[in-house]
Amino acid sequence: MAAGEETSHILSGLTNQLPDRDPEETAEWVESLDALIREQGTERAQYIMRSLLQRAGAQSVGVPMVTTTDYVNTIPVDQEAEFPGNEEFERRYRAYMRWNAAVMVHRAQRPDIGVGGHISTYAGAATLYEVGFNHFFRGKDAPGGGDQVFFQGHASPGMYARAFMEGRLSEEDLDGFRQEKSREGHALSSYPHPRLMPDFWEFPTVSMGIGPMNAIYQAQNNRYLHNRGLKDTSDQQVWAFLGDGEMDEPESRGLLQLAANENLDNLNFVINCNLQRLDGPVRGNGKIMQELEAFFRGAGWNVIKVVWGREWDDLLTRDTDGSLVKIMNETVDGDYQTYKAESGGFVREHFFGKTPQTKDLVADLTDDQIWNLKRGGHDYRKVYAAYKAATEFKGKPTVILAHTVKGYGLGPHFEGRNATHQMKKLTLDDLKKFRDHLRIPVTDEELEKDAYRPPYYHPGTGAPEIKYMMERRAALGGSVPERRNTHDQIVLPEDKSYEVAKRGSGKQQAATTMAFVRLLKDLMRDKNFGKHIAPIIPDEARTFGMDAFFPTAKIYNPKGQNYLSVDRDLVLAYKESAQGQLIHPGINEAGAVAAFTAAGTSYATHGVPLVPVYVFYSMFGFQRTGDAFWAAADQMTRGFIIGATAGRTTLTGEGLQHADGHSPLLASTNPAVLTYDPAYGYEIGHIIRSGLERMYGPDSTDKNVMYYLTVYNEPIIQPAEPENLDIEGVIKGIYLLAPAKIDGPRTQILASGVSVPWAIEAQRVLADDWNVSADVWSVTSWNELRRDGLAAEEEAFLNPGQPARTPFVTQQLEGATGPIVAVSDYMKAVPDQIRQFVPNEFATLGADGFGFSDTRAAARRFFKNDTHSIVVRALEMLARRGEVDVDAPVKAIEKYKLLNVNAGTTGNAGGEA
C-alpha cells in the first residue's frame, strides 16, 4: 500500500491485498511458526523464514519487499546480548552528567550572561551516549587506533558534563560555556567546533545534514587508507549521532547509497528518534521511525529498531492476539508525543484503553508503573544489545533507530513539549523535581540560595562509580572526544617535481587546467610525497584532462573492477582498483567535499597526512557546497580546491548555470580559504609549492588552510617562467609581469587569470594605436591582497602613533604612475576588493550579471572586459587628465566597434582543457 494513505506506511501490508481462501490452514501454518519460535528461538525462526522466502522467489511466488516491520524492537529478547556493566554505577554517574549538563546551560542564562544553550537534547539522549562511552567508543590509545564519533551538535552540554566528571574540565570551564572571548582560557564552544577547541572536538556537526555526509565519507576514508596500505584501520568504527528531525535534510539521506555500495560495515548511525523537530513533531500524522526504517532498508542498510524498554517485554509476551502490537503500529507520532507530556492515567485511558484486551493487560499496573514504561532509547540493556549487534554485523552499514523522549527527566514543563528546544532554563520547582528524579545530593537551601547558580555535582575522584567510569575509559583507550594534532612527517616534493610548471608549453597551447594537471601528475610521481595525494573528482575527469590518471593512479573502488571495461582498448581506459588513488564520487559535489574533508583532516584523525586535491566545475563549488566548506574549515581541513572551467566568459556554450563570475567572492567569506586566480602554469607551481610548505612545512605557524585555485579551459601558449621572477609577489598576490615598452602617457593594467593575455594585448594596442605606455601586472590573488590590506589597517587602528605598515599591494604599486584599469573574468566586485589600498585613480572591468552561451569573443565584448574595453577605459581616464586627446575615447569606441558584440576578437574558440 502507498506510504501516504492514512497509516498504511506503518506496515508493509503483506496480506492486505490477498484473500484468505482457507483460514484454518493459515492458522495451522501460523501455529507451526509460533511453536518453532517457542521451542528453538527467534534465530532459528529467522533462518526458516528466510529459506522459505528464498524458495518462494525461486518458484516465482510474488512476495513483497518487507520495508517496515512491526513497531517493536528488532532484536528479540532471547537474542539480546547480556549487559556486561555495573548498572548501578552507570545509572548513578549518568544522573550526575544529566544534572551538570542542564545546570551548565541554566547558569549560562543568568541575567548578566544570557548566551543560551540547549537542555533537552542531551537529557533525552544520555543513555545512547553513555552506553557508547562505557562499552563501545574507543579512544586514541586503543590498539586499533580508536573510533571516530560524530556527536549530535545540540547534545554538546552532555559531552562537557562527562569531561567534567573525568577531570578534563573544571567548574570554571563549565561556566565559560558559549563565552569564547570573554572567558578565554576557560571557554567552551556552543557546539562541536574543532577550530575553537582543537584538542577536544574532532568533527563539526551542528550544521545539520553535513554530519551524516561527513561520517559516511569518514568511514570510506578509513577503508581508503587501509586499502592503499597507508594505515591499518580494520578495527576502527565510525559512529554518527543524529536527530530524526535532522533526517529531513536532503544531505542526511542523499549519500546513504555510498555506504551500502561499499559495504561500510565500519559505520553506525544512531538516530535519536524523539519524534520532534526543533519546533514541533517530525511526523505528527505518521511514524518517522517506520519511515526511516523503510528508507534505510531500501538504501541497503542493516536496520535495528530500539522502540521499547525492558518494562514492555512482559506485556508483549502476554499480547497473544497481537492487540498491543496493533495499537503500537497504528498510533501516530503526534499521539506518542502527547502521551509523554501527560500522565500514566492519561496513557492508560488513551493508549491501552483502545481495546478491552490491552486494557486488561495493564489492569494490575498502577498509573505510576504505566508512566514508567520506558522507551527503548532510555534502556541501557536494549541500547547495549543494539550497539553490540551493530558492531558485529558484517557486509552493511547499520542504522539504530532509538525511540526517546526529548527533555527526558526534566519534568512536565520540558518532557516532550514542542517548545523544549528553545527552553534554556529551569524554574526553581523544575530544579527540585529534576534533582529528586536524578537523586542528586543537593539541598533545597543550596538551590534557593541563587536560582541562577544551582551547584554542579561531583562525588569526588575516590567515589566507586567514578573509579569505575575512569576504568572503563582506560580500557577503551582514553577519553572521547579528543583531537590530536601529531602525525607522521611528510617529505615535501623535490624541486624536479615543479619543473614541468616552469617550462611552459612551448609551441603547444595549453589551458591553465592542463598546466595544473601536468604539475599534479609529476607531484604524484614523487617517490616520497606522491602517495599522500588524494585526487578527488566528482565526475567529468576527462573534461579536465585527468583521464591520464586512470591507467596509472587508478580509480578507488574497494571491490576492484569486476567487469570488462568498454574502453579497455584505449590508452586512457577507465580502470578501477581497490588500491586506486583517485576518489571518484560521481555526480556528487556534496559527497566530494565530504571526501575532501575526511582526507584533508587525516593528519589529525589518523596521524597519516593526505593532501586532497578536489577538482570541480568552478560554478559548482562554493556556490553549491559553501556550507560544507565552512564545516571543512571548522574541522581544520588542509588541501587544494581547484575550480576548473572558471570565469564567466570562458565556458562558451554551457550557459548561465555554468558561468562562474563570483566564486572568489564566495570563497572570500571563508577565513580558512586562500583564493588565487593564476594566469600561467609557473604561477600555479609556486602557489602549490607555497601551499604545501604552509600546510606541512616545518616553519609554518598557520597550517590549517585550504587553497582555492581557479583554472581555465581556454588554451593559450603557456610562457616559461621569466628570469628573476618576483616569487614573493606571486605568492602574496601581485607582481609586475610586463613593463611598458615605450615612453608616453602612462597607465597601469592589473589583470588576473584568463584576462592577463587580454591585458598584454591591450598593452600592445595602446602603444601601437595611441602611443600610450602601459605596465601590466599579474594579480594572482585579489582576495589575499585585500586581507593583507585590512590587516594593515587593523594594526594601524590599534596602534595609534606608531608607524603604520604599508599594505603589500600599495608597496608593489609604489612609483607606478597613471590611472589603473583592473580587469578579470569575474564580477567587478572581485578587483574592487583592493580599491581602497591603491592611491591611483582606479577603474574596474568585469563580467557582472548572468552568464550566457556564446563565443568567448562575443561574451567579452558584451561584458566590456575584453582587450579593446581595457584600451578604451584607459584612454577615458587619461583624457580626463589631459594626457591624451579628449576625443580619443570616442574615436577608440568607433575604431574597435565597442558596441557591436560581433566585433569582439578577444580569446579563441578552443575549449579543450
Side-chain angles (χ1 to χ4, degrees), residues 648 661 826-830 844-851 862-863 865:
R648 185 148 277 165
Y826 292 97
M827 296 172 64
K828 296 181 180 73
V830 174
T844 308
L845 301 178
D848 285 58
F850 288 114
F862 173 84
F863 284 120
N865 66 342

Side-chain angles (χ1 to χ4, degrees), residues 490-725:
I490 190 169
V491 179
L492 294 179
E494 299 175 359
D495 290 347
K496 66 179 182 181
S497 297
Y498 297 98
E499 287 176 2
V500 66
K502 296 182 177 184
R503 287 199 300 265
S505 60
K507 295 180 180 179
Q508 179 188 20
Q509 289 190 330
T512 49
T513 298
M514 183 53 70
F516 165 76
V517 169
R518 288 171 178 172
L519 171 62
L520 180 61
K521 194 168 186 180
D522 279 7
L523 290 172
M524 290 173 67
R525 287 172 173 164
D526 187 283
K527 62 180 184 296
N528 294 313
F529 176 77
K531 64 185 177 183
H532 294 282
I533 296 178
I536 302 167
I537 313 167
D539 203 25
E540 296 197 277
R542 297 183 193 276
T543 300
F544 309 135
M546 296 185 73
D547 46 347
F549 293 4
F550 292 167
T552 51
K554 300 184 179 62
I555 297 157
Y556 173 71
N557 187 326
K559 299 177 183 178
Q561 183 166 311
N562 302 312
Y563 59 90
L564 198 60
S565 174
V566 68
D567 60 0
R568 62 191 178 280
D569 294 330
L570 298 180
V571 174
L572 303 182
Y574 198 84
K575 183 64 177 175
E576 300 181 68
S577 168
Q579 293 77 42
Q581 190 168 0
L582 184 68
I583 298 171
H584 202 284
I587 304 174
N588 177 6
E589 286 85 4
V593 180
F596 174 81
T597 302
T601 54
S602 182
Y603 71 92
T605 308
H606 288 290
V608 178
L610 289 174
V611 179
V613 180
Y614 171 29
V615 186
F616 55 94
Y617 260 117
S618 64
M619 189 68 157
F620 307 140
F622 285 89
Q623 174 161 299
R624 179 169 289 192
T625 53
D627 193 18
F629 280 124
W630 195 260
D634 192 347
Q635 201 170 323
M636 292 177 281
T637 305
R638 303 173 187 173
F640 294 92
I641 309 161
I642 311 298
T645 59
R648 185 148 277 165
T649 70
T650 63
L651 204 48
T652 58
E654 291 291 344
L656 186 149
Q657 283 192 277
H658 287 66
D660 174 15
H662 51 277
S663 65
L665 291 177
L666 299 177
S668 74
T669 64
N670 192 317
V673 175
L674 284 72
T675 303
Y676 287 89
D677 188 27
Y680 300 128
Y682 66 81
E683 294 178 353
I684 293 173
H686 285 290
I687 294 164
I688 295 288
R689 185 170 197 161
S690 174
L692 289 173
E693 289 171 352
R694 181 161 177 179
M695 294 172 201
Y696 290 105
D699 301 324
S700 176
T701 56
D702 183 14
K703 297 173 179 285
N704 301 317
V705 291
M706 299 172 279
Y707 276 60
Y708 176 42
L709 278 68
T710 53
V711 294
Y712 299 82
N713 71 323
E714 183 171 1
I716 61 172
I717 297 295
Q718 292 289 332
E721 180 176 314
E723 291 185 22
N724 304 315
L725 175 67

